[in-house]
Amino acid sequence: MNEGVNYVKIQWIEFENLKTGLKIEKIYFNNDITLLVGLSGAGKTQILNVAGYSLNLAVHKNVILRPYRAGIGILIDEEEYEWFYEINKINENELVINGESKYGFSFEKLTKNKEVVFERRNTEVTVMGYDKVPQPKKDESLILQYSEDKNFDKLVSGINKLYVVETEPAVRDGITSKSFSWLKSKAIDIINSEKQVKFKIFSHFPVAIKLYIAKNYYSEIYNKIFNAVKELFIEIEDINVEEDSAREVYLVSIQVYGKKLLQDDISSGMLKTIYYITELFTMPRNSLVLIDEFENGLGVNCIDLLSELILSERNDLQFIITSHHPKIVNAIDKDKWKIIDRDGCIVKNSSSITYGIGNSQHDAYFNLINRWEFEGKIL
């Protein structure tokens, strides 16, 4: 697959849940950072979920299909792609699998620079440049089905630059010894078989294995991770990955005052900070990063450093994040905000200017809170 993609940005997304009626109006994202601001339940997380779900649906197998209608715009090396899809219940005898209704693609359309690449309406499919096409799979996107075609290399490579950062499951569960050993062996084989292998080939690996690879084969990346962590926690003398043989899992470990602490004995805030920093320093340039409730479980000093990393150290990345924390909200220019509100089942968004919350960055957050309180949205 072509790895020559340099620039990827998600430009907009729109969505409707055909079962619940929830609808997200078309929302446009900034090229650098978009902060979704809104009260709990307004729809911020749904926006992140739809973006992540849609991009995963395009390129991964065995994604559970849901009755959705959505559209997404992606800019890849100055080429504009727009992908629309609709998933509905299959009408053929209302087929049921494992107690759940079976869904399939009823509509799909991909355009490149406004020209149609393919279009699917149920079983009828047209693909640019092909007189005949095979019968499509109802439970997979056409992007996935044509992913081996060289004409789709750039699109698939671009979509694969999506990173959904979810530290909670990784912090809680670690990585099984079996999975760790398999990924470690795979990584070593790749490193030994090729010269100057770029770390980005491992960037979707779990944090524990990425730390292991960085520490043992990419000292420059590991040193960046270690120095950023040590800036916050000066007592840390080393970061490593160790096996807990009793549980058959590999966990992040640290050395403090000569004593080794496994993941379970490290404070939640410290551990999440290590995971965030590792993710941020191991992502390829110009990737898309989705983070929901960025501040959860972090100490105040951690929030300051991680905010600085996002805004300066990795300003090549496109971030779409949600947060309620005043420090994060105030650190990000109000022109980068998308204020999310819900009118019934419709999730709406507006800029800080159209929302009328004032010109001063310092006052913007408080004006927003005061407006919500005035409107009776804050109890």
Side-chain angles (χ1 to χ4, degrees), residues 1-5 58-60 143-144 146-161 200-201 204:
M1 180 174 291
N2 175 24
E3 295 185 6
V5 171
V59 295
H60 292 136
I143 297 175
L144 174 61
Y146 283 90
S147 60
E148 299 300 319
D149 188 312
K150 64 179 182 179
N151 293 321
F152 288 80
D153 273 359
K154 181 165 285 191
L155 175 61
V156 173
S157 296
I159 292 175
N160 278 320
K161 290 172 79 74
K200 67 180 182 180
I201 197 170
H204 280 290

Side-chain angles (χ1 to χ4, degrees), residues 12 17 24 28 88 93 107 130 145 164 166 227 266 273 333-334 358 363 378:
W12 57 267
N17 186 318
I24 296 173
Y28 290 89
N88 278 304
N93 301 319
F107 174 77
Y130 294 82
Q145 293 176 58
V164 181
E166 297 178 304
N227 290 334
I266 303 172
T273 301
D333 193 293
K334 66 183 186 305
D363 294 336
I378 300 178

Side-chain angles (χ1 to χ4, degrees), residues 120-160:
R120 174 207 320 227
R121 294 184 182 273
N122 294 314
T123 58
E124 296 182 7
V125 178
T126 57
V127 182
M128 181 179 65
Y130 294 82
D131 295 329
K132 295 181 179 180
V133 296
Q135 187 74 9
K137 297 179 182 179
K138 294 180 180 179
D139 60 347
E140 290 182 355
S141 75
L142 288 177
I143 297 175
L144 174 61
Q145 293 176 58
Y146 283 90
S147 60
E148 299 300 319
D149 188 312
K150 64 179 182 179
N151 293 321
F152 288 80
D153 273 359
K154 181 165 285 191
L155 175 61
V156 173
S157 296
I159 292 175
N160 278 320

